[in-house]
Amino acid sequence: MRRNSCVVVGAGIAGVMTALHLQRRGEQVTLIDRWEPGHARAASTDYNRVIRAISGRDEFYTRWARESRAMWLEMQAESGQNLMYECGALILATEGHCDWEDSTAETFDKVGVPYYKFTPDEVRARFPQFKVDEIKYALFEPEAGLLMAHRCVITALKMFKDAGGVVKRGTVTTDTQERPLLDGQPIRADLIVIATGAWMSEMFPKTIKTISAIMGINVLYTSTPDGSDAFDMENMPCWIDHGQGSFGIPSSEGSGVKAAVVIPNTPIDINNDERLIEKASLAKTRTYIRHRLPGLIGQRVVDSKFNQVILTPDTHFIVDWHPVHENVLFAGGCSGHLFKHGPVFGNFVAGVATRDYGTADRFKIANRRKLSPKESPSGR
C-alpha cells in the first residue's frame, strides 16, 4: 500500500501527538513549526498542566480524559521519562454555585471515575493548605494530577522522530483562498493537518477566526515556605476553584506553587506582545493567595508565564476538514483543556485524517454556539 505524504503544521501537543500517531499508522509525516518544538511562545509550553477527568455533565470528555491518562502512563513507561504525577485534583464547590460540580459527581458515578466527596472540615483535615470558609463541599479525584508539559512535548517529539518522522523549520501561511503555503509556496502533500493553536485563527480568517477567540492567561509560580514541604505535590493536590475563577498546581520538581486567576477577555497580540505578566494579574493572584492559600502569604513570585489560548464558543475542539481544500484538516480549537487529552486527541485526529472514520459532530466547524456553564465541559 502506498504511504501517504502527510504534513502536520504546528509542533505543540496537538501537532506532535497527531504526527506521532500518523507516523505509527504507517504514513510518512513531516512536522513543521516556525520555531523549535517546545518554544516559549507555544500554548503547550510551561512546566506543568493539570490532568483530570472533571468535565461537568460531559461524559465524552470524561471518558477521553480517562483514556488519555492511561496513554500518558504508557508513554511514560515506554520513554522512561517522568511525564505524569498522580497527586490528585481537588475541585472546590462554592456555596450557591455548585451546578458544574454537582454534574461532575453524577458523571463520575455513571462513568466509574474514582472520587471522594469531602465536607469543608474534611478538606481542612486532609489538605490544610486550603482555606475553605465559603466552600459547600469538594470533590477529590485521586487518579488525577499533573503533566510535565514541556517534557511531554519533547518526549512525544522524540518518539515521532524515532518512528521515522521528519521535523522541519519553516513558516506556513495561507493565500487569499486559505490554501496553505510553506515559505510562500503551496504545500504539496496528500494530507495537511493544521495544528497551530492560536495562529490557526489568523491563518484561516474565513473558516476559523469566526468561531474562535484568543485570550491571554497569566500564570504565577510562588515560592514554598522555608523548610516546609506542605505545598509540594507529595502533600498537596492540584485544584480547580471556579468560584474564584482560578486553578493551580502544587510545587513539582522545585517549580513553586502555580496559581492562575483567569481574567476574562485578556487580549493578546500573539505576534507582537511580550510574554510578560501584567500588574493587574499579579495583584489579583496575590489577593487570591491571601484568600485561599494563607500559608503562602508573603512568599515571593519565583517565575511567571503569560500565554495565549484559542477558545471556541462551546469550548469543544475543532477536528474537521476545510470546506474548500479537501486535504486540509484542522486539529485544535480549545487549548484551554486540550493538553491533558493530547494522546487520545492525536490518535483520534490521525484516524480522521486517514479517513478510517468521520469526526464527531461536536468537533465540526459548523453550528457552533456558546454554552452555559452548566453545559460546558470546562465549566465556563
Side-chain angles (χ1 to χ4, degrees):
M1 181 180 297
R2 185 181 74 89
R3 300 177 76 187
N4 290 316
S5 61
C6 304
V7 171
V8 177
V9 185
I13 196 64
V16 169
M17 285 295 184
T18 298
L20 173 61
H21 284 284
L22 279 169
Q23 189 69 29
R24 287 184 167 181
R25 283 171 174 259
E27 308 299 343
Q28 184 53 59
V29 184
T30 299
L31 179 64
I32 301 174
D33 201 296
R34 293 165 66 181
W35 301 287
E36 182 182 8
H39 62 85
R41 290 193 186 193
S44 294
T45 191
D46 205 354
Y47 298 117
N48 47 41
R49 292 293 179 90
V50 179
I51 177 170
R52 39 82 175 178
I54 299 163
S55 301
R57 67 180 61 179
D58 198 307
E59 292 185 33
F60 182 98
Y61 287 116
T62 302
R63 295 182 189 278
W64 257 31
R66 293 292 287 173
E67 184 179 347
S68 195
R69 168 186 169 271
M71 295 175 74
W72 279 120
L73 292 173
E74 289 171 359
M75 286 182 62
Q76 179 167 267
E78 179 183 346
S79 66
Q81 297 290 321
N82 291 327
L83 303 180
M84 178 178 171
Y85 292 105
E86 289 189 340
C87 59
L90 189 72
I91 176 171
L92 302 171
T94 302
E95 185 75 48
H97 302 279
C98 302
D99 292 332
W100 191 71
E101 293 82 1
D102 292 345
S103 297
T104 291
E106 294 173 5
T107 304
F108 278 5
D109 289 336
K110 291 179 184 177
V111 175
V113 179
Y115 76 100
Y116 299 92
K117 186 173 182 178
F118 293 150
T119 66
D121 284 341
E122 289 171 327
V123 175
R124 294 184 187 101
R126 184 155 182 173
F127 301 119
Q129 303 90 341
F130 296 95
K131 181 182 177 183
V132 290
D133 293 353
E134 85 284 21
I135 298 303
K136 182 178 181 181
Y137 67 87
L139 302 177
F140 178 62
E141 184 187 344
E143 293 182 349
L146 63 94
L147 295 162
M148 301 305 293
H150 182 267
R151 188 179 302 150
C152 288
V153 172
I154 298 304
T155 299
L157 181 74
K158 183 179 184 303
M159 290 179 168
F160 168 67
K161 291 193 289 188
D162 288 347
V166 176
V167 179
K168 290 182 62 175
R169 195 77 60 88
T171 301
V172 175
T173 57
T174 57
D175 61 17
T176 57
Q177 304 304 312
E178 295 193 334
R179 181 175 54 168
L181 312 172
L182 173 60
D183 298 327
Q185 298 299 316
I187 297 176
R188 307 295 182 188
D190 297 319
L191 168 70
I192 305 170
V193 179
I194 305 295
T196 52
W199 283 273
M200 191 186 298
S201 177
E202 69 173 23
M203 290 171 67
F204 296 91
K206 300 175 184 177
T207 308
I208 301 299
K209 189 173 185 177
T210 57
I211 60 163
S212 62
I214 312 300
M215 65 180 291
I217 299 292
N218 294 265
V219 174
L220 298 178
Y221 288 86
T222 300
S223 175
T224 57
D226 292 357
S228 172
D229 61 1
F231 293 89
D232 295 355
M233 61 183 172
E234 291 80 8
N235 299 308
M236 181 184 182
C238 303
W239 75 94
I240 299 169
D241 193 352
H242 272 125
Q244 297 292 322
S246 184
F247 65 91
I249 296 177
S251 185
S252 58
E253 299 186 4
S255 64
V257 181
K258 178 178 182 175
V261 179
V262 178
I263 301 177
N265 302 318
T266 301
I268 178 173
D269 182 332
I270 57 175
N271 293 310
N272 298 309
D273 279 358
E274 309 284 359
R275 298 313 198 264
L276 299 174
I277 293 295
E278 300 170 336
K279 289 184 178 179
S281 180
L282 179 61
K284 197 163 188 175
T285 302
R286 283 182 166 152
T287 298
Y288 173 75
I289 285 173
R290 286 195 296 271
H291 172 76
R292 185 66 74 211
L293 302 168
L296 293 180
I297 293 175
Q299 296 300 321
R300 312 315 296 169
V301 171
V302 292
D303 211 338
S304 63
K305 184 71 175 177
F306 181 44
N307 218 325
Q308 71 279 336
V309 296
I310 180 171
L311 296 173
T312 55
D314 49 21
T315 70
H316 292 319
F317 306 140
I318 300 171
V319 183
D320 201 3
W321 298 97
H322 192 283
V324 176
H325 308 296
E326 60 182 18
N327 67 330
V328 175
L329 178 66
F330 298 110
C334 189
S335 54
H337 73 128
L338 194 152
F339 197 100
K340 61 181 170 289
H341 295 290
V344 70
F345 179 83
N347 188 47
F348 178 81
V349 175
V352 174
T354 54
R355 306 201 185 257
D356 289 350
Y357 41 76
T359 193
D361 286 344
R362 65 173 59 201
F363 296 155
K364 292 180 179 178
I365 294 169
N367 301 319
R368 295 279 175 155
R369 66 180 180 88
K370 185 172 178 57
L371 301 179
S372 69
K374 291 182 181 180
E375 299 173 287
S376 170
S378 63
R380 60 173 180 264

